[in-house]
Amino acid sequence: AQSVTQPDIHITVSEGASLELRCNYSYGATPYLFWYVQSPGQGLQLLLKYFSGDTLVQGIKGFEAEFKRSQSSFNLRKPSVHWSDAAEYFCAALGVTGGGNKLTFGTGTQLKVEL
Amino acid sequence: DTGVSQDPRHKITKRGQNVTFRCDPISEHNRLYWYRQTLGQGPEFLTYFQNEAQLEKSRLLSDRFSAERPKGSFSTLEIQRTEQGDSAMYLCASSKGQPNSGNTIYFGEGSWLTVV
């Protein structure tokens, strides 16, 4: 079955520290990959996406993600976290064929930023 | 562009009542999606439309749920005889074309449903 796993439910970092959020996927063929952010009570905002090409993808708000086929991973990173980055982060995958119309989401990682 | 718009944003209803949510996608987006998100979970796919045609439904969409997009523009999601387990946020999303062709899926802010 297709699945996306985010191993960390909660992460706390100090403002200014670096951040890495983990995401692993299990798909028959390498899917398209996404990171979304959700602020409390709000919808989802797309941070970045990977379809093909350069495995290091740049997104909005200073985020980047690296696709590693050998590890089936698509980890999200930010060099220096700001207090406003506190939110929930979701990794998602989209099948290249067949189920290519629905996103499969991980369970999310709640990010807390300490001032 | 105005974003994906959902109404109402919050709904509290008694068990057994019917509720209806409305979604207005981004203009000219021909694909519209519904997802459900419960506390502590990621969104789960419910159904999607291409124009007015409902092309896929998840097994999560029981007989009590019905979605329509009559003119290929806005969509409604109705839940009949609500149960406490229906309490969740219902997210609507839209895209200009097929998402696995590079088209971004944009999400609305969601409609919170609480069944008491």
Side-chain angles (χ1 to χ4, degrees), chain A residues 32 36 38 41-44 46 49 51 88 90 94-97 100-103 105-108, chain B residues 9 31 33 35 37 40-43 45 48 56 89 91 98-100 102 104-105 107-109 112:
Chain A
Y32 301 132
Y36 283 86
Q38 185 176 41
Q42 301 298 311
L44 299 162
L46 179 67
K49 60 185 178 183
F51 274 64
E88 188 149 26
F90 291 95
L94 186 71
V96 174
T97 59
N101 294 296
K102 56 185 177 185
L103 291 163
F105 286 85
T107 51
Chain B
R9 293 290 317 280
R31 293 198 174 211
Y33 313 83
Y35 284 76
Q37 184 178 18
Q41 299 297 317
F45 172 83
Y48 94 94
E56 188 171 351
M89 182 159 70
L91 288 159
Q98 197 165 341
N100 60 0
T104 297
I105 299 176
F107 284 83
E109 296 194 328
W112 279 102

